[in-house]
Amino acid sequence: MKYGFNFQVMRDGDARPLDEGSAVFFEEAELTQPHLIPNVGDFVQATAVAGEDSHTITGRVVTRFFAYHSKDGSEHVNFCTINMVLEPADDFDWSKLIKE
């Protein structure tokens, strides 16, 4: 099964994640083991690079939604998209998580 990870940001006070400009998508190969899926409460920094442009989102995971897709009669078409919503963690001292 292949996995895709979609990270979205939900601002404080909003009922749902932002519709545009906040999603970062990653795809993981079937052979990658173990699959590194953040848990609710984990801190995440996700960066997508397209050419010279990059887009980074950071935050704490508040929800995870798993959507499974399958196609009969073909190999390697099972896919799971995991949508994770991040809340801003501006009040947290990120330097406590990692020393660069």
Side-chain angles (χ1 to χ4, degrees):
M1 179 171 296
K2 289 187 178 183
Y3 291 86
F5 304 96
N6 188 49
F7 296 96
Q8 295 180 298
V9 172
M10 184 165 58
R11 293 185 188 147
D12 290 333
D14 287 353
R16 58 185 311 262
L18 299 173
D19 288 331
E20 296 180 13
S22 64
V24 174
F25 182 78
F26 295 92
E27 187 172 321
E28 191 172 274
E30 278 184 64
L31 301 177
T32 305
Q33 294 288 335
H35 300 289
L36 303 174
I37 304 169
N39 285 316
V40 171
D42 285 346
F43 292 89
V44 173
Q45 178 182 33
T47 302
V49 178
E52 293 185 18
D53 296 328
S54 67
H55 175 68
T56 300
I57 60 174
T58 58
R60 187 175 320 151
V61 178
V62 290
T63 64
R64 301 186 314 170
F65 178 79
F66 295 75
Y68 294 90
H69 313 276
S70 177
K71 184 176 179 183
D72 291 337
S74 185
E75 289 187 39
H76 308 293
V77 292
N78 294 324
F79 193 84
C80 179
T81 302
I82 304 165
N83 190 76
M84 288 170 267
V85 175
L86 306 178
E87 67 181 358
D90 300 330
D91 59 337
F92 186 78
D93 182 1
W94 286 78
S95 68
K96 291 181 180 180
L97 296 175
I98 187 170
K99 183 176 180 180
E100 297 185 62

